[in-house]
Amino acid sequence: MPVWIVYSLIATLLAGVTAIFVKSSLRDINTEMGLVIRIAIVFVVVLANLFMVKGHKVPIELSSRTLFFLIISGITTGLCSIFYHKAMSLGNVSVISAIDKGSIVITVMLAVAFLGEPLSPKLAVGSVLILTGMVVLIWK
């Protein structure tokens, strides 16, 4: 099994556990403060990872294109976290997490349109099934 699949499966497991921890943490604190604390801890963990893999010794040479995409991805990550935390504070974690996975469909469409990745029949069917599941959960 390729190592990227192992990393993906670990990330999936951690994302599922994280959703439960986020919901549990929002019982006694307001959403915004909970998010700030969580992001601060994420920063420390990611910074520790940088030093553990000795990535800090690599000279930083960023093109304007790379810097642009880092800034935009940071903004979208921050906004995503804000709305995710707000949803978690108001709704059921099981439904919110399932709806959140609708991002997979958006990612597939953007990867095909902008990155030129192929859209296989298997990927198309999987995306339609995810979208269908989302609609079922949202529908009243």
Side-chain angles (χ1 to χ4, degrees):
M1 180 180 306
V3 72
W4 63 268
I5 292 178
V6 174
Y7 289 161
S8 297
L9 291 171
I10 292 168
T12 297
L13 174 68
L14 292 172
V17 172
T18 298
I20 301 303
F21 293 155
V22 167
K23 181 67 174 183
S24 298
S25 73
L26 295 176
R27 290 184 181 151
D28 301 321
I29 190 170
N30 82 26
T31 306
E32 290 74 21
M33 183 55 73
L35 179 59
V36 167
I37 293 168
R38 181 173 171 233
I39 295 298
I41 294 167
V42 168
F43 178 76
V44 170
V45 169
V46 172
L47 191 61
N49 178 66
L50 175 70
F51 286 98
M52 286 191 306
V53 297
K54 301 193 180 359
H56 64 286
K57 295 188 180 193
V58 176
I60 298 176
E61 295 178 17
L62 299 176
S63 67
S64 58
R65 180 182 187 278
T66 298
L67 186 58
F68 170 77
F69 283 114
L70 286 172
I71 290 169
I72 295 301
S73 70
I75 291 169
T76 56
T77 298
L79 290 171
C80 175
S81 294
I82 289 168
F83 287 105
Y84 181 77
H85 269 249
K86 286 190 179 296
M88 281 293 198
S89 70
L90 299 170
N92 293 331
V93 66
S94 54
V95 177
I96 293 163
S97 291
I99 292 169
D100 180 58
K101 299 312 173 237
S103 63
I104 296 168
V105 178
I106 294 167
T107 301
V108 167
M109 291 183 332
L110 293 175
V112 169
F114 294 107
L115 301 178
E117 292 187 7
L119 180 62
S120 67
K122 184 166 62 170
L123 188 56
V125 169
S127 296
V128 168
L129 289 172
I130 291 168
L131 189 59
T132 303
M134 240 180 64
V135 170
V136 166
L137 290 172
I138 293 172
W139 195 330
K140 290 190 173 200

